[in-house]
Amino acid sequence: MSASILLKDTIAALATPIGEAGIAVVRVSGPLASKILFTLFKTVLKSDEWQSHRLYYGELFDSSNKILDYAMAVWMKGPCSFTGEDVVEFHIHGGQYIALKTLEAIFTEGARSAKPGEFSERAFLNGKIDLTQAESIADMISANSELSLRLAQRQWQGAFSKPVAVLRELLLECLVRLETAVDFPEDDLDFLDRPKLKKIFWEALQQITCWIVDYEKGKILREGLRVVLLGKPNVGKSSLLNQLVQEDAAIVHSQAGTTRDPIHKNIVLAGLTIQLIDTAGLRNSAGEIEKIGIERSLAWFEKADLVLAMFDLSSPLDNDDLKLLSLLGSKPVLLIYNKKDLRPQWDPHLLYEHFNLKRPVQIKSLLISAKNAEGIRELEKIIPELFGLSDFKRKEQFFINQIRHCEALNKAKVSLEMASRALDSAASPELIASDVLMAIQYLGEIIGKINTEDILDSIFSKFCIGK
């Protein structure tokens, strides 16, 4: 459906979850919004006495003109509304029957049911928000930790769209120079100014590269971390899991091999959403059932964003410990030395130095006592450090977190690199301009300056209905 047809419709949806609650909000947007308001909602005021953006108390009628509810209503006159259109909201008692009957009455008056994300899509189409801000709305709604919410809020404030727009405008100025040089090739004036163009291209590539490199950080903030506990039996994995989730989620027993199937728990640690997976102990002498659990442990290891590799300080290192070390490759690793409350049987620093020299990956180490909850606070600090996120709370940083943004930036980077090489080889302005134009288009896709219906459908279909 094209934007021009879409904006002629009046849409309505329940903006709050279905179920019993103190209130429910039904939202209406479009040219029929005010007509629907004054047809279904009666107050002591006349229609010309209503003020925009003020709540009024009155009687709400259903499609058969019977009083349905005693409610509140607000009329937000366009363009001073979220969608840029006339918007009406009915604040009714939060029951499923009342909400459905209210929608039924609204549809009878000519509105239709809103699609997922259609209110936000109209806000974008009417120029109230850009495309990255629209995406941040969905991220704020789905945020399940402090850091994921902060990232979404910063995106809403323009932490990404503003610099992208500035960069795009800068490249547009370059394109004007290039096209002027094409139009006036015999002119004595140096429209091209190749050294200046080279500097602009280089600075643009540096900025784009920084955004791309930081994508994994943004993805972690948005989606969370998958953290897998690995170690031989009785090393203390289940005890650590229980301490982190603050409940007896895993069986803790002196008998080895009590954990067979991986145990999954979602927690928020240091502001990060974490899916914590406790796995079966790794050992060579396991029975048939336990071996199945170990195979599943290794499968989860492959999916892990971070591995908590646990070792028992109170017993000598053995072949099972060495096998665990041999597994740890390019993934970020936190070496956890448990049972620090007991007499140590080996020097943990030697193990850390050996591992760090042999496998140069993101690695830190920590001494803990899972039994006594010692070292848990330190663990909360180390995990953000491993991923370069320790300053995110304190600084106004922003990391891209959408694969769509990353793909568009990669394409813009390739185009700019081609333009830069063409500039260095003294290519004609036409050739350079074509690559710069492509980079501008890819940057425009990010903020919605250039869009296709497929891109919009893909983005807004992920929204909840009523937003």
Side-chain angles (χ1 to χ4, degrees):
M1 184 180 293
S2 68
S4 59
I5 296 174
L6 178 73
L7 298 179
K8 289 179 182 178
D9 293 343
T10 298
I11 59 173
L14 185 63
T16 48
I18 294 176
E20 294 183 2
I23 62 168
V25 177
V26 176
R27 179 176 292 159
V28 186
S29 181
L32 295 178
S34 59
K35 173 183 173 292
I36 291 170
L37 170 66
F38 299 129
T39 300
L40 300 180
F41 193 78
K42 305 299 181 184
T43 71
V44 295
L45 297 175
K46 297 178 181 178
S47 60
D48 59 356
E49 295 177 322
W50 275 67
Q51 296 182 39
S52 182
H53 293 75
R54 289 193 64 177
L55 273 169
Y56 292 98
Y57 175 77
E59 297 172 340
L60 178 64
F61 289 79
D62 64 15
S63 54
S64 60
N65 205 32
K66 295 178 182 178
I67 292 179
L68 175 63
D69 195 15
Y70 299 94
M72 305 282 284
V74 58
W75 179 20
M76 292 166 274
K77 296 180 182 180
C80 298
S81 69
F82 174 66
T83 64
E85 306 170 325
D86 277 3
V87 173
V88 167
E89 286 183 353
F90 297 104
H91 294 229
I92 59 179
H93 287 95
Q96 184 171 339
Y97 177 78
I98 298 175
L100 293 177
K101 294 298 286 186
T102 300
L103 284 169
E104 179 185 298
I106 291 170
F107 297 150
T108 300
E109 295 302 319
R112 64 167 174 82
S113 181
K115 299 181 297 183
E118 194 168 358
F119 291 96
S120 297
E121 185 175 9
R122 289 188 174 209
F124 164 72
L125 292 172
N126 286 319
K128 304 296 289 187
I129 56 176
D130 64 43
L131 209 48
T132 64
Q133 287 177 306
E135 289 168 311
S136 74
I137 295 170
D139 286 346
M140 281 190 277
I141 292 170
S142 63
N144 50 19
S145 71
E146 177 188 357
L147 297 189
S148 61
L149 177 59
R150 287 197 184 192
L151 183 67
Q153 289 171 335
R154 290 174 191 177
Q155 183 166 320
W156 169 258
Q157 292 164 351
F160 183 44
S161 60
K162 288 177 183 177
V164 168
V166 169
L167 184 58
R168 184 174 176 273
E169 287 298 318
L170 189 60
L171 292 179
L172 278 170
E173 292 176 13
C174 294
L175 185 62
V176 170
R177 283 180 171 274
L178 289 162
E179 291 178 343
T180 304
V182 172
D183 293 338
F184 303 96
E186 306 300 328
D187 204 296
D188 292 336
L189 295 174
D190 185 11
F191 290 112
L192 199 55
D193 194 353
R194 289 177 183 266
K196 184 175 182 179
L197 285 179
K198 184 175 178 64
K199 182 175 183 293
I200 291 173
F201 290 170
W202 185 84
E203 290 175 349
L205 283 168
Q206 291 296 109
Q207 176 64 83
I208 290 172
T209 301
C210 286
W211 281 328
I212 294 170
V213 168
D214 285 337
Y215 166 66
E216 289 300 324
K217 296 178 182 177
K219 184 181 177 185
I220 288 169
L221 290 173
R222 180 172 179 257
E223 299 179 5
L225 278 173
R226 183 178 289 135
V227 178
V228 175
L229 289 159
L230 283 182
K232 66 185 182 183
N234 272 3
V235 77
K237 301 185 301 299
S238 297
S239 296
L240 178 57
L241 175 85
N242 291 343
Q243 289 288 357
L244 291 173
V245 303
Q246 292 294 292
E247 61 177 272
D248 293 332
I251 297 172
V252 177
H253 196 275
S254 59
Q255 179 180 333
T258 52
T259 300
R260 302 290 178 87
D261 289 325
I263 297 173
H264 306 247
K265 283 290 179 179
N266 292 325
I267 61 171
V268 175
L269 195 67
L272 283 173
T273 303
I274 289 179
Q275 182 188 14
L276 196 61
I277 300 117
D278 181 21
T279 61
L282 304 179
R283 61 174 174 176
N284 291 321
S285 60
E288 289 302 315
I289 296 177
E290 200 174 338
K291 283 180 180 178
I292 296 173
I294 292 172
E295 289 174 2
R296 293 179 180 177
S297 299
L298 297 176
W300 275 108
F301 164 73
E302 295 297 329
K303 302 174 186 176
D305 299 310
L306 171 64
V307 176
L308 303 186
M310 293 191 67
F311 300 88
D312 183 354
L313 277 175
S314 67
S315 63
L317 290 173
D318 57 23
N319 288 333
D320 292 330
D321 293 310
L322 298 178
K323 181 181 179 180
L324 172 60
L325 281 174
S326 69
L327 290 172
L328 305 176
S330 59
K331 292 182 182 293
V333 175
L334 177 55
L335 300 176
I336 295 184
Y337 311 120
N338 191 26
K339 306 184 183 180
K340 63 176 286 189
D341 52 310
L342 303 177
R343 183 186 296 275
Q345 298 296 310
W346 46 280
D347 185 353
H349 296 293
L350 295 176
L351 181 61
Y352 173 79
E353 290 173 4
H354 169 79
F355 184 85
N356 202 29
L357 288 172
K358 294 291 183 181
R359 296 172 178 81
V361 296
Q362 294 166 280
I363 177 174
K364 287 186 178 293
S365 63
L366 177 68
L367 274 71
I368 71 166
S369 170
K371 179 182 177 181
N372 299 329
E374 296 179 39
I376 303 300
R377 289 292 179 88
E378 289 79 1
L379 179 63
E380 292 181 4
K381 295 177 182 177
I382 288 177
I383 290 179
E385 289 175 4
L386 275 166
F387 295 92
L389 297 171
S390 55
D391 291 333
F392 187 75
K393 284 185 180 181
R394 295 190 294 273
K395 296 181 180 178
E396 287 299 308
Q397 295 174 309
F398 178 81
F399 308 121
I400 66 168
N401 61 2
Q402 303 274 355
I403 186 63
R404 184 183 75 85
H405 301 164
C406 193
E407 289 174 348
L409 288 171
N410 272 306
K411 291 175 183 176
K413 181 182 178 184
V414 170
S415 296
L416 269 181
E417 287 171 341
M418 292 173 65
S420 187
R421 286 195 294 269
L423 187 67
D424 290 339
S425 62
S428 65
E430 295 100 321
L431 291 176
I432 304 170
S434 65
D435 292 322
V436 173
L437 178 60
M438 291 302 297
I440 291 169
Q441 289 176 338
Y442 291 130
L443 292 175
E445 282 184 7
I446 293 173
I447 55 178
K449 292 294 184 181
I450 298 172
N451 59 73
T452 67
E453 192 169 336
D454 289 342
I455 291 175
L456 296 184
D457 287 346
S458 174
I459 291 170
F460 290 106
S461 65
K462 298 181 178 70
F463 281 49
C464 57
I465 293 174
K467 195 57 190 172

